[in-house]
Each structure stands twice: as C-alpha cells, then as structure tokens.
C-alpha cells in the first residue's frame, strides 16, 4: 500500500491554524486573593487535578478543589496577631462597685482565612477605696463582695508602693447556695465564677485596702456571726452571681487551691 509522501504530511502541518496558547496566569499574575466565596475571583491556569482552564483564587476554592496552581503561595493564610495585654487600669469610679479595664491592639490583621482577632478589651470588677482627692471612702459596701484571687497580686503591688500595706488574714467558708448566674457567665473575666460549687470549701483573703483601718476586718467576713449562720456574698463583675455560705474559721494565710481562692473587695 502506498503511503502519503512525507512532504505532504509536513505541508499539512504548516497549513493548520495556530492553536491558542494556554495562559498560566494563576492568582499571582492577576493579583487575586478574595475572602469567602467569590465566583468573580476567577483566573485561568493549572488546577490541582492537573487540568487546565478556569480556576479560582477565593477562600472557598480549597474546599471545592478548583484553586489555581499558585493559590497557596499567592494567598498565604495569615492569622491575626495582637499585642500583649496592657496593665489593668484603675477602677472606673471611686468608692463604688465598678470595673477596671485592660486592652491590647492589633499588630497584624487576619488575611486569607486566617484566625480572626480575639477580643481587644477585658473588664473585671473592682472597688476603689480612695477618692481622687486621696481621702478614704466612707461608704459601706454590700457585705462579702468577692473576686478572683489573682486580682490580689496587682493590688498588693500598688499598696506596697504606697507604703500602706497592713497584715491581712484568710477566712474559710463552706458554700451553701449559689445562683445559676455564676455558671452561665461567659465573659473571660468571669470564668473564675464557674468554679463555685455548693458544698465546697473556699478561702477568701482579706488584705489592704479592703482591710478596714479601724476595725481591721473586711466587709462581710462574718467575724461577728453565730456558728452555722448563713452569710451572703456577691461576685464583683456579675451581679447575677451570688449566694450564701457559712464561716468555718479564720487563718493567717490561705491554703486553698487557686481555683477556690478568692479575695474580699
């Protein structure tokens, strides 16, 4: 059988129309990086399965497997980065139950589906016992206002700097009743309230400036109560968290676990 002359095959190739050149644009060449799902965030190039054609540069392409070949390099996942917390502020108002604040700022915003920024402000309950003029508050506060024991470190430091720190003491109580508001509080500064449980023994420290300069006691410490008398307490920072307890004994220092150690305010 006579075959086609080689020159004829070469001629046929020469007269074929030029094929379109495959663009390998991808994400970088077009400068595309889109949040969420965005059908308009479209380019052309190689896809993860090796095929060539339309491809995407939005966040959703990682799930739908139709990203452009260079999506991971062109659109790296960058989480939010925040600074360290500032020091706690003073109480918002003197001589009353109020709050203190600490803040942090954003160093790097999240990009391309990176982890979002956490809260930039926290508040915690507190009471300031001195007026802005430097005189001691005379207002009698609700008995047994308590907060987490961790607040005491900062307060001791301020008192030592003022040269006013007096020797404190510890009181052990048995928790009798607790309102549901203690367990259902979701703010970061109220997590300590979730460790309050009926029947548990807790330690509450009395230290300057909650330690009254005349009586040398803290409000609500139960020093004048009868045996097994029910006494009332309230958590600072969450008025829905309160209950009753019985005074067990007074000690020089507290020895309860950290999660069961609190502070008179």
């Amino acid at each position: 059988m006579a075959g086609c002359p080689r020159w004829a095959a070469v001629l046929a190739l020469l007269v074929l129309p030029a094929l379109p050149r495959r663009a390998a644009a991808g994400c970088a060449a077009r400068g595309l990086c889109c949040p969420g799902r965005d059908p308009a965030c479209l380019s052309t190039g190689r896809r993860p399965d090796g095929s060539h054609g339309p491809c995407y540069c939005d966040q959703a392409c990682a799930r739908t497997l139709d990203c452009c070949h260079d999506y991971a390099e062109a659109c790296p996942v960058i989480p939010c980065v925040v600074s360290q917390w500032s020091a706690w502020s003073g109480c918002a108002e003197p001589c009353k139950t109020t709050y203190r604040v600490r803040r942090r700022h954003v160093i790097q915003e999240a990009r391309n589906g990176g982890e979002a920024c956490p809260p930039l402000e926290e508040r915690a309950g507190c009471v300031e016992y001195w007026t802005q003029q430097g005189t001691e508050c005379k207002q009698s506060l609700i008995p047994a206002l308590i907060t987490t024991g961790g607040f005491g470190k900062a307060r001791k430091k301020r008192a030592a700097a003022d040269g006013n720190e007096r020797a404190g003491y510890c009181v052990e109580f048995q928790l009798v009743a607790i309102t549901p508001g203690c367990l259902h509080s979701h703010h970061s500064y109220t997590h300590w309230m979730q460790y309050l449980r009926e029947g548990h023994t807790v330690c509450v420290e009395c230290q300057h400036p909650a330690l009254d300069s005349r009586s040398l006691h803290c409000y609500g410490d139960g020093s004048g109560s009868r045996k097994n008398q029910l006494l009332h307490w309230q958590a600072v920072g969450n008025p829905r968290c309160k209950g009753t307890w019985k005074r067990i004994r007074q000690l020089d220092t507290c020895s309860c676990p950290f999660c069961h150690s609190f502070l008179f305010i």
Side-chain angles (χ1 to χ4, degrees):
M1 180 183 297
C4 293
R6 289 186 180 182
W7 60 266
V10 172
L11 182 61
L13 289 173
L14 291 174
V15 299
L16 282 174
L19 294 174
R21 186 178 179 182
R22 289 183 173 179
C27 301
R30 295 201 57 197
L32 292 175
C33 279
C34 308
R37 186 177 185 86
D38 186 354
C41 198
L42 177 66
S43 185
T44 304
R46 191 173 71 253
R47 293 186 288 254
D49 60 3
S51 62
H52 189 280
C55 58
Y56 293 87
C57 302
D58 61 348
Q59 261 179 262
C61 75
R63 297 192 302 273
T64 54
L65 303 179
D66 53 4
C67 298
C68 296
H69 67 282
D70 64 342
Y71 173 75
E73 292 76 25
C75 307
V77 174
I78 300 176
C80 174
V81 179
V82 297
S83 67
Q84 296 294 318
W85 286 111
S86 68
W88 283 105
S89 70
C91 297
E93 296 181 57
C95 302
K96 64 184 295 186
T97 304
T98 179
Y99 61 89
R100 55 199 169 104
V101 180
R102 66 176 181 174
R103 297 182 175 89
R104 54 189 173 187
H105 63 270
V106 175
I107 298 174
Q108 169 67 61
E109 294 281 1
R111 294 174 55 191
N112 307 324
E115 186 176 353
C117 294
L120 301 179
E121 180 178 296
E122 282 189 347
R123 293 187 177 191
C126 71
V127 175
E128 182 57 66
Y129 287 84
W130 299 87
T131 67
Q132 294 177 348
Q133 291 73 35
T135 58
E136 192 169 5
C137 301
K138 301 300 182 182
Q139 180 181 353
S140 179
L141 300 168
I142 299 171
L145 286 170
I146 63 170
T147 188
T148 174
F151 181 40
K153 295 179 181 178
R155 196 163 70 173
K156 281 181 177 178
K157 188 179 296 184
R158 289 200 303 271
D162 294 340
N164 292 324
E165 186 172 4
R166 306 180 186 91
Y169 58 91
C170 177
V171 183
E172 289 185 357
F173 294 94
Q174 181 184 28
L175 291 168
V176 177
I178 301 168
T179 58
C182 299
L183 304 179
H184 300 147
S185 188
H186 304 295
H187 296 291
S188 58
Y189 61 84
T190 60
H191 285 170
W192 63 272
M193 300 176 192
Q194 298 177 15
Y195 293 105
L196 295 165
R197 293 289 187 276
E198 292 179 1
H200 282 188
T201 296
V202 297
C203 295
V204 187
E205 188 175 357
C206 175
Q207 59 177 229
H208 176 83
L211 181 61
D212 183 75
S213 58
R214 291 163 298 180
S215 68
L216 297 182
H217 283 280
C218 286
Y219 291 112
D221 71 349
S223 56
S225 64
R226 301 183 304 275
K227 185 177 181 180
N228 292 326
Q229 181 180 348
L230 289 180
L231 306 169
H232 293 271
W233 57 268
Q234 179 180 315
V236 175
N238 179 8
R240 296 182 299 121
C241 180
K242 51 190 173 182
T244 56
W245 57 21
K246 294 178 182 178
R247 179 185 169 107
I248 299 175
R249 57 178 175 167
Q250 179 173 319
L251 304 168
D252 290 335
T253 57
C254 292
S255 58
C256 292
F258 180 78
C259 61
H260 293 152
S261 297
F262 306 108
L263 191 70
F264 288 110
I265 285 291

